[in-house]
């Protein structure tokens, strides 16, 4: 029987999501990869256990995480039943719908039919009565935003979700979404954008909207699909995502990019951190970021990501040097 660490809340940092009553761990665990039906169940189970032992209380899923689609939620449901049911009220469990999930016109994007049917399926796969956060995973250009967000409102009013969020909405879309949800009486808890040293789009207005509206943010891919780690210091490993052209593409990793990775690694070494730790710390430097959403493939990586919390402070000079590296100036 799994018994969690009694000291699990002593060292983790928790940050308030906007102006809400919810605090999230500074590090959250995403189940996008390595928790599907093709993956080793006991390894998935060990990573979730270790995460909770370290104070990670937020597990982030989506309907089509796997592979195959839906299997990450099934895996999580099995582990929840075996290990975490006594601690359900200590957990924040989220899922999403918005990307392709099943064939035909009703299994994608943002119709009311798709979003609520998907949520019902997710709850069944995980063996839950409700999720803590239900997200619209991406904006739908062809469905009125009132319909998509009305479905989120229904999810809360029906008891299938406690809070709602959005993901990958730009600044203008986010401002509209926040106002629409507020008018419905179901405020937007959180936004999930892609953000890292290599992807800084949220700095161009999105974070400002979130701060003004009192909405939290949980940023995904803070390691840029692993590029901001020691995996690529000597080129592209044969077993890496880039080598398989799996989201991270070989064509996008030229020598100029690798030179930046090596220069950033030198900065991390001077800070007493690994590059991955510094990359996580860097996104958390912004007080508008509630949590960094990380993915792991082995238990040791859970510890590595939490290790970033040991040094979250950056000097003005460090930040300036990092910016110089990112724009291609000679590294220090």
């Amino acid at each position: 029987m799994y018994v969690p660490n009694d000291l699990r809340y002593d060292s983790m940092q928790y940050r308030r999501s906007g102006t809400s009553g919810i605090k999230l761990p500074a590090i959250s665990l995403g189940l996008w990869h390595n928790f599907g039906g093709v993956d080793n169940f006991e390894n998935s189970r060990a990573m979730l256990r270790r995460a909770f032992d370290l104070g990670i209380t937020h597990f982030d899923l989506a309907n089509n995480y796997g592979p195959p689609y839906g299997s990450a939620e099934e895996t999580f449901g099995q582990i929840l039943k075996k290990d975490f049911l006594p601690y359900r009220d200590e957990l924040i469990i989220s899922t999403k719908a918005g990307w392709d999930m099943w064939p035909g016109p009703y299994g994608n994007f943002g119709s009311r039919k798709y979003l609520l049917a998907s949520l019902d399926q997710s709850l069944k796969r995980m063996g839950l009565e409700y999720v803590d956060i239900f997200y619209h995973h991406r904006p739908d250009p062809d469905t009125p935003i009132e319909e998509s967000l009305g479905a989120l409102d229904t999810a809360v009013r029906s008891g299938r979700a406690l809070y709602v969020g959005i993901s990958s909405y730009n600044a203008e879309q986010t401002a509209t979404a926040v106002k629409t949800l507020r008018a419905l009486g179901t405020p937007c808890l959180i936004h999930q954008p892609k953000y890292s040293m290599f992807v800084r789009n949220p700095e161009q207005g999105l974070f400002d909207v979130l701060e003004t509206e009192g909405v939290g943010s949980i940023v995904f891919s803070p390691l840029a699909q692993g590029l901001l780690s020691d995996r690529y210091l000597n080129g592209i490993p044969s077993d890496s995502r880039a080598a398989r052209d799996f989201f991270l593409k070989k064509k996008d990793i030229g020598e100029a990019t690798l030179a930046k990775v090596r220069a950033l690694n030198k900065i991390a070494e001077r800070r007493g951190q690994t590059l991955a730790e510094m990359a996580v710390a860097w996104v958390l430097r912004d007080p508008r970021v509630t949590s960094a959403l990380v993915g792991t493939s082995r238990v040791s990586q859970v510890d590595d990501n939490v290790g970033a919390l040991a040094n979250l402070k950056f000097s003005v000079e460090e930040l300036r040097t990092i910016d110089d590296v990112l724009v291609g100036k000679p590294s220090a």
Side-chain angles (χ1 to χ4, degrees):
M1 171 184 279
Y2 168 61
V3 178
N5 183 357
D6 286 339
L7 304 177
R8 59 189 176 277
Y9 294 117
D10 289 1
S11 58
M12 175 55 66
Q13 299 179 23
Y14 297 90
R15 297 181 170 195
R16 190 170 301 279
S17 183
T19 57
S20 76
I22 283 294
K23 292 182 178 180
L24 294 181
I27 307 294
S28 297
L29 185 63
L31 280 67
W32 184 15
H33 301 298
N34 306 309
F35 292 86
V38 301
D39 298 299
N40 182 282
F41 177 83
E42 289 303 326
N43 184 55
S44 301
R45 187 181 187 186
M47 289 189 287
L48 285 166
R49 284 181 166 193
R50 183 56 180 161
F52 190 50
D53 283 344
L54 292 174
I56 294 176
T57 54
H58 180 208
F59 301 139
D60 178 86
L61 297 107
N63 56 356
N64 63 354
Y65 287 177
Y69 287 176
S71 61
E73 289 180 329
E74 291 172 349
T75 295
F76 179 75
Q78 294 175 53
I79 297 170
L80 178 73
K81 184 177 181 180
K82 291 175 182 290
D83 296 331
F84 294 116
L85 274 184
Y87 313 101
R88 171 65 182 96
D89 292 335
E90 298 181 40
L91 298 175
I92 297 288
I93 300 168
S94 63
T95 196
K96 317 177 201 72
W99 289 92
D100 59 299
M101 182 58 193
W102 61 81
Y106 317 121
N108 205 342
F109 278 112
S111 71
R112 179 180 180 85
K113 178 175 176 61
Y114 167 52
L115 293 176
L116 292 176
S118 178
L119 177 55
D120 287 341
Q121 292 178 19
S122 291
L123 293 174
K124 184 176 181 179
R125 283 190 290 267
M126 291 188 283
L128 291 172
E129 294 180 357
Y130 68 92
V131 290
D132 296 278
I133 308 171
F134 181 49
Y135 289 87
H136 187 207
H137 208 165
R138 61 167 171 170
D140 181 347
D142 298 318
T143 297
I145 194 169
E146 294 82 3
E147 178 177 342
S148 299
L149 301 182
L152 299 190
D153 175 63
T154 296
V156 170
R157 293 183 184 278
S158 64
R160 288 121 111 183
L162 299 184
Y163 301 90
V164 297
I166 54 177
S167 179
S168 300
Y169 279 54
N170 64 29
E172 182 179 358
Q173 292 165 332
T174 297
T176 300
V178 169
K179 289 178 173 58
T180 301
L181 283 167
R182 186 176 292 135
L184 289 168
T186 299
C188 183
L189 175 74
I190 198 162
H191 186 298
Q192 188 173 130
K194 189 175 187 178
Y195 184 53
S196 71
M197 285 189 277
F198 284 154
V199 179
R200 300 180 66 167
N201 309 63
E203 296 173 0
Q204 308 306 312
L206 176 60
F207 283 154
D208 291 336
V209 170
L210 299 179
E211 182 177 28
T212 298
E213 299 292 349
V215 177
S217 69
I218 176 169
V219 300
F220 71 92
S221 293
L223 303 188
Q225 295 290 328
L227 186 56
L228 290 167
S229 72
D230 60 8
R231 290 275 283 161
Y232 296 90
L233 293 176
N234 300 307
I236 302 176
S238 59
D239 62 343
S240 65
R241 289 183 183 178
R244 292 176 287 153
D245 274 342
F246 187 62
F247 291 103
L248 187 62
K249 306 294 185 182
K250 281 189 288 187
K251 65 180 177 62
D252 296 328
I253 309 177
E255 184 53 41
T257 297
L258 294 177
K260 291 179 182 180
V261 170
R262 296 181 188 113
L264 291 169
N265 186 64
K266 291 180 181 179
I267 300 170
E269 288 176 344
R270 292 198 292 269
R271 287 171 50 81
Q273 292 181 308
T274 66
L275 176 54
E277 288 172 344
M278 186 178 80
V280 171
W282 185 88
V283 300
L284 289 171
R285 85 200 185 286
D286 192 319
R288 297 170 295 185
V289 173
T290 311
S291 184
L293 183 59
V294 302
T296 58
S297 60
R298 55 184 182 274
V299 172
S300 62
Q301 290 179 341
V302 180
D303 290 85
D304 292 343
N305 283 295
V306 173
L309 302 180
N311 185 9
L312 294 180
K313 293 183 178 180
F314 289 83
S315 68
V316 172
E317 183 59 32
E318 283 175 326
L319 292 174
R320 183 183 299 116
T321 303
I322 288 170
D323 285 343
D324 287 347
V325 168
L326 295 174
V327 298
K329 292 184 179 180
S331 60

